[in-house]
Amino acid sequence: MDQVRIIEVKQSVFADNDKRAAELRGELKARGIFLLNLMSAPGSGKTTTLTRTVELLKDEMKIGVMEADIDSDVDARTMAAAGVKSIQLHTGGMCHLDADMTRQGLDELVDGDVELAILENVGNLVCPAEFDTGAVKNAAILSVPEGDDKPLKYPLMFQVCDVVLVNKIDVAPYFDFDLDKCREYIKMRNPKAVVIPICAKTGEGVEQWADWLREQVAAWRS
């Protein structure tokens, strides 16, 4: 019997995407556009966190938001109502965005007047972490009700993120959630990750997050 040839398709797909993502980052640098990739599980508070972030930063810089979902335009409408340019990206059933998809969204979003572009990725702790979108920085939101052990169960998400927002910190007393353990688990996966506890609903800690973002945008555009 002839030997079966095995083709590593997944590796090839990732390698091609990584190349396109690097090219996109180079273009963004040249144009002075900072792209943030925001990831989390469904219901963690991404859109609420973005709304708070926009409230703090929209008078300082020009912001555009890309909302990625399998369907609906609920989040895009929410961000538009918050006062920033917003578009909805439908993934056609896919649970992530890659560099080419992100580029398509940016082509629609950016017309010379966006300094900070934010991609709210599809709600998922697995697929979005596998694909480089071309973003300058990656951020993840981990909400208290999800549990402090998520960095142990979904390692790649926390390995690729530059900053982790621990959201819904106001309800920590009602859940079996240990913030110190959570920090420890995140550092196990990524010693360089910045961890910021917040409550997007009340605004607690959001100013610290906004300060981090201000610093990153300024450094990228300098």
Side-chain angles (χ1 to χ4, degrees):
M1 179 181 290
D2 293 337
Q3 186 176 8
V4 175
R5 183 182 179 192
I6 300 174
I7 303 173
E8 296 291 345
V9 176
K10 187 174 182 181
Q11 182 177 355
S12 175
V13 169
F14 284 158
D16 184 61
N17 182 71
D18 289 346
K19 178 182 178 181
R20 293 175 183 274
E23 292 171 351
L24 178 56
R25 254 188 303 277
E27 294 172 19
L28 291 172
K29 179 66 174 178
R31 298 171 66 183
I33 300 170
F34 184 98
L35 173 61
L36 175 75
N37 178 30
L38 181 62
M39 300 175 285
S40 79
S44 66
K46 287 194 299 298
T47 305
T48 304
T49 300
L50 275 184
T51 301
R52 285 282 185 179
T53 305
V54 164
E55 289 175 357
L56 291 173
L57 298 178
K58 68 180 181 180
D59 293 333
E60 304 173 26
M61 60 185 78
K62 297 172 182 176
I63 303 173
V65 177
M66 296 180 287
E67 294 285 352
D69 283 299
I70 292 174
D71 204 349
S72 91
D73 62 355
V74 174
D75 291 343
R77 289 180 179 274
T78 299
M79 296 313 304
V84 294
K85 188 174 183 179
S86 177
I87 63 171
Q88 187 74 49
L89 305 178
H90 285 169
T91 65
M94 299 183 70
C95 60
H96 68 276
L97 264 71
D98 61 19
D100 281 342
M101 298 175 192
T102 303
R103 180 187 292 278
Q104 291 179 52
L106 284 168
D107 287 344
E108 294 295 326
L109 182 71
V110 177
D111 55 9
D113 64 347
V114 172
E115 298 165 308
L116 169 60
I118 303 175
L119 169 62
E120 182 178 339
N121 216 313
V122 181
N124 191 312
L125 286 177
V126 181
C127 302
E130 295 183 326
F131 289 85
D132 189 342
T133 61
V136 181
K137 296 291 181 180
N138 293 315
I141 299 178
L142 169 63
S143 66
V144 165
E146 294 173 68
D148 53 33
D149 59 354
K150 286 299 176 289
L152 301 180
K153 296 181 177 181
Y154 301 92
L156 186 60
M157 174 59 69
F158 298 91
Q159 288 168 5
V160 303
C161 281
D162 302 282
V163 59
V164 178
L165 306 179
V166 181
N167 191 25
K168 306 184 182 181
I169 201 69
D170 57 320
V171 300
Y174 307 101
F175 289 86
D176 186 18
F177 187 93
D178 188 320
L179 181 58
D180 290 334
K181 282 186 177 180
C182 184
R183 289 181 185 273
E184 178 185 344
Y185 297 153
I186 292 170
K187 293 299 181 180
M188 285 173 57
R189 299 305 187 191
N190 184 354
K192 296 181 179 180
V194 175
V195 180
I196 305 176
I198 69 168
C199 175
K201 184 176 181 179
T202 65
E204 178 184 354
V206 180
E207 186 65 57
Q208 183 182 352
W209 152 241
D211 284 342
W212 182 90
L213 197 49
R214 288 184 181 102
E215 292 172 3
Q216 301 303 315
V217 174
W220 179 254
R221 289 172 55 83
S222 63

